Amino acid sequence: MLTASKNQREFFRLVYPLGSGPKFELARKRELADVIEISQGGFRVRGFMPGVRCGDVISGTILFADEPTMTIASVKRVCKDYTVFVLTKPLPILRVFNEQIRIRRDYPG
């Protein structure tokens, strides 16, 4: 049985309602992907991103509604349904909180 102390994550994660998240633009390929989940430590995009493999270090831009943010991340997991990235430098917590406020305002309920 999991206790509360064993079931804690390092960072708060914001899961976006369908179609509400920012886009991620992979710098070297100029490909766009929908961000479906974000935290200070990383993010997940919908679908498989061609040309990325686990362990790769990539750069790109998260295209938030109010301010694009350049990122460097390592690829943690690649699946047909999603790709997970771990940021080398965490996002400021205020960035994640602002996204949460935007989602609650624009997608109530």
Side-chain angles (χ1 to χ4, degrees), residues 15-23 34-36 46 65 99 102-103 106-107:
V15 178
Y16 288 100
L18 188 61
S20 67
K23 302 283 187 198
D34 293 325
V35 177
I36 58 176
R46 182 179 326 283
E99 280 295 284
R102 181 183 68 81
I103 293 302
D106 296 346
Y107 299 88

Side-chain angles (χ1 to χ4, degrees), residues 17-81:
L18 188 61
S20 67
K23 302 283 187 198
F24 174 67
E25 182 179 33
L26 189 60
R28 66 178 179 184
K29 299 233 180 194
R30 296 283 186 217
E31 291 189 30
L32 288 176
D34 293 325
V35 177
I36 58 176
E37 184 178 294
I38 198 160
S39 75
Q40 280 183 274
F43 60 99
R44 182 166 46 138
V45 299
R46 182 179 326 283
F48 170 77
M49 292 198 75
V52 299
R53 297 183 317 253
C54 286
D56 286 353
V57 176
I58 56 93
S59 63
T61 304
I62 301 174
L63 303 170
F64 291 108
D66 60 348
E67 181 180 351
T69 302
M70 293 183 67
T71 62
I72 298 174
S74 61
V75 181
K76 181 175 182 179
R77 188 173 300 125
V78 178
C79 302
K80 69 176 185 165
D81 297 329

